[in-house]
Amino acid sequence: MFGWLIAGLGIFAFLWFLSSLRRAVRRWEGEDGFLTALTTIGGAIYATLAFAAIALNVGVRTMSDDTYHHTVFPGLIHAAGDASYVLHATGGAGASAMIIAASLAALRATVVPKWAGWLGIAAGILALASIIFFPQAAIGLWILIVSGLLFARGARDVPTQAEAVPR
């Protein structure tokens, strides 16, 4: 249950990141809105399937241990682990859409160096193969780097109190 709580809080934090990323992509993209929508929808799909994965895993483990005789069924535990892994990996398609759309928007707006934008697109393409473990690490690394950049940039983009109040 402790792992379920930590994972749930991590996905909750991801939703805050996604909201910040959506705002940045909207600002970079301008009027069209296609990449903004794709970033948001892709991230929401990823978060939804990650939530479903941890819920399935913990739900089956709890059910297996919560029988009359407190019997743990190894076959069910194994099935829960595999099913939750595949659910989470399926969310890699959503993460891929989010990463590619955000990277394209940043590249077009020239807010990142070209190599960084293309590296983001490559990470997004790699995310499509999330059933293999290593692309999931690429997704996590991309989120970590971009969240740090958004946090650092956000401090510079926020108007001061004197600038925000009209006179």
Side-chain angles (χ1 to χ4, degrees), residues 63-156:
M63 184 266 325
S64 180
D65 190 41
D66 203 20
T67 62
Y68 173 71
H69 297 288
H70 297 288
T71 304
V72 175
F73 302 108
L76 282 178
I77 300 299
H78 182 81
D82 286 354
S84 63
Y85 182 81
V86 171
L87 261 174
H88 185 258
T90 303
S96 176
M98 174 192 70
I99 292 169
I100 292 171
S103 297
L104 278 173
L107 195 58
R108 288 180 184 170
T110 64
V111 294
V112 296
K114 283 188 178 189
W115 64 266
W118 284 107
L119 192 61
I121 291 169
I125 293 169
L126 190 61
L128 285 171
S130 288
I131 196 71
I132 306 167
F133 174 73
F134 295 108
Q136 290 185 10
I139 293 170
L141 189 59
W142 186 88
I143 291 170
L144 183 65
I145 291 168
V146 172
S147 64
L149 293 172
L150 287 174
F151 181 76
R153 178 169 288 228
R156 292 188 308 240

